Amino acid sequence: MDYKRFIEDEVERLRETVGDGVAINALSGGVDSAVVTVLGHRALGDQLKTFFVDNALMRKGEPERVVRDFAALGIPVELVDAREEFLGALEGLSDPEQKRQAVTDTFYRDVFADLVRRTGARYLLHGTILTDIEETVAGIKRQHNILEQLGIDPEKDYGYRVLEPLKTLRKDDVREVARLLGMAPEMAERIPFPGPALATRIVGEVTEERLQTVREATAIVEEELAETGAFQYMAVLLNDRATGIRDGRREFGQIVVVRCVESVDARAATPTHLSWEKLEAICERITAIADVCRCLYDLTPKPPATIEYV
Ligand code: XMP
């Protein structure tokens, strides 16, 4: 694939489509939305307004990090506090599809529709990639960012058009484009992070308390496994408990799964062969989190498992 040509074509297409209008987009902390932001700003300059929606589901320190990294690229990012809306929409839900649906609705119908009104934007730039579309169409999963493929007309339903400049690319292509756009390796190589964020890493109900646990565990896993160069690694909070012992007392505590996989484009994945020492170090730190008394390592490839748990 000619990536240079891809960038030129997409920049041209975005300029033509948006004209002298206004477009908006949101960063999730993953590489796809970061690339869309840099590509979009190259095409549209300050006609593109970029937001970071704090949906309460983000990783530790993420809002501050995103704003700082993009400021260094000369791209202003506005923080939007939507924590209450998302937590409210997720309250009481434990079915995976219902949780994804709640995140989608809150994003597109509530938060973005508001931003569209406020900015006068007619376009929303989205980091959908080819794998997202294929898996949604195949009925494997409802990716939060697929609207058209699900028969939702955003123009009619929400009042804006969605533009998806990366929809012909897979993850490895996105990284090539990121490098060509001059993005720092930390950004171009960042492990994938799903739009519905930590909601995909909590089996069962998403509450502030459970988010706090998985956020803490995620920070540990990301720190411990950064050096592996693996495709993706994460912590997942199960909806079950098991008996443990803390300070000489029995504790019916929570269970955290660590997942680390090798993959090229997320369509298939195999578990990383981590050393026993590394696994023990992670286990020790994760079981030091309050109320967590077990830590497991997931050996399942994709398929049959997906990469995320929800
Ligand atoms: P699964 O769990 O389907 O994930 O094997 C494949 C890859 O896609 C990411 N993922 C998402 N990315 N919106 C996204 O932007 C989503 O709704 C979503 N769901 C999964 C996942 O992290 C993995 O890299």
Side-chain angles (χ1 to χ4, degrees):
M1 181 165 188
D2 184 346
Y3 296 107
K4 200 162 160 274
R5 181 75 195 276
F6 170 87
I7 293 173
E8 286 163 7
D9 288 352
E10 289 307 320
V11 163
E12 193 49 40
R13 204 196 313 262
L14 283 172
R15 283 188 184 142
E16 261 172 37
T17 311
V18 175
D20 55 8
V22 173
I24 60 172
N25 83 310
L27 288 159
S28 71
V31 62
D32 305 340
S33 65
V35 168
V36 164
T37 301
V38 176
L39 191 72
H41 276 269
R42 182 171 289 194
L44 306 170
D46 57 14
Q47 281 170 267
L48 175 64
K49 314 269 177 237
T50 297
F51 296 92
F52 181 90
V53 177
D54 186 351
N55 54 12
L57 310 172
M58 292 298 169
R59 286 171 287 183
K60 209 172 173 178
E62 191 70 6
E64 300 76 19
R65 196 197 58 78
V66 165
V67 171
R68 189 191 59 223
D69 286 357
F70 281 87
L73 289 171
I75 298 176
V77 176
E78 191 184 320
L79 263 179
V80 178
D81 183 357
R83 286 175 295 180
E84 274 184 23
E85 281 98 317
F86 281 89
L87 287 172
L90 285 162
E91 201 178 324
L93 303 183
S94 30
D95 176 77
E97 290 297 298
Q98 283 182 6
K99 280 158 68 179
R100 283 178 167 265
Q101 182 69 53
V103 173
T104 302
D105 287 348
T106 310
F107 247 101
Y108 289 96
R109 192 193 54 210
D110 305 340
V111 177
F112 279 132
D114 243 23
L115 293 177
V116 164
R117 246 173 268 130
R118 176 142 78 77
T119 57
R122 297 288 319 283
Y123 301 94
L124 171 68
L125 261 57
H126 215 291
T128 317
I129 65 171
L130 187 56
T131 320
D132 299 338
I133 297 175
E134 285 173 343
E135 297 206 333
T136 301
V137 172
I140 294 170
K141 185 178 286 179
R142 169 191 288 262
Q143 301 277 145
H144 83 288
N145 45 357
I146 307 293
L147 296 172
E148 192 189 321
Q149 287 80 11
L150 293 172
I152 298 169
D153 178 352
E155 200 153 15
K156 196 164 115 255
D157 296 348
Y158 310 129
Y160 51 80
R161 256 184 82 186
V162 177
L163 307 178
E164 298 171 319
L166 311 185
K167 71 178 175 193
T168 56
L169 305 185
R170 295 189 189 284
K171 199 59 110 192
D172 43 333
D173 302 315
V174 176
R175 294 195 201 287
E176 283 299 329
V177 171
R179 283 182 210 108
L180 269 182
L181 285 170
M183 291 163 66
E186 303 86 73
M187 221 186 255
E189 303 304 332
R190 221 169 175 223
I191 55 171
F193 189 69
L198 297 178
T200 64
R201 312 233 169 121
I202 293 178
V203 182
E205 192 181 356
V206 176
T207 63
E208 256 181 299
E209 203 181 2
R210 305 193 78 213
L211 278 165
Q212 188 50 34
T213 305
V214 84
R215 188 175 288 122
E216 215 40 66
T218 301
I220 294 170
V221 170
E222 291 198 356
E223 190 186 311
E224 292 282 345
L225 298 182
E227 296 294 300
T228 59
F231 178 80
Q232 197 168 3
Y233 32 89
M234 65 189 72
V236 178
L237 181 61
L238 296 187
N239 195 22
D240 211 346
R241 288 188 175 253
T243 302
I245 307 164
R246 194 183 302 269
D247 304 327
R249 289 170 162 239
R250 283 170 75 85
E251 167 185 82
F252 198 46
Q254 305 201 78
I255 308 168
V256 167
V257 174
V258 175
R259 184 144 172 76
C260 179
V261 294
E262 306 300 323
S263 177
V264 175
D265 57 17
R267 281 187 300 171
T270 51
T272 305
H273 290 215
L274 296 174
S275 74
W276 204 250
E277 289 71 28
K278 183 47 92 179
L279 288 168
E280 284 174 335
I282 294 173
C283 178
E284 191 180 328
R285 290 183 66 188
I286 286 192
T287 48
I289 299 172
D291 198 35
V292 176
C293 71
R294 288 193 194 227
C295 177
L296 318 177
Y297 187 57
D298 186 344
L299 295 180
T300 327
K302 173 183 179 177
T306 56
I307 294 177
E308 305 289 350
Y309 268 55
V310 165

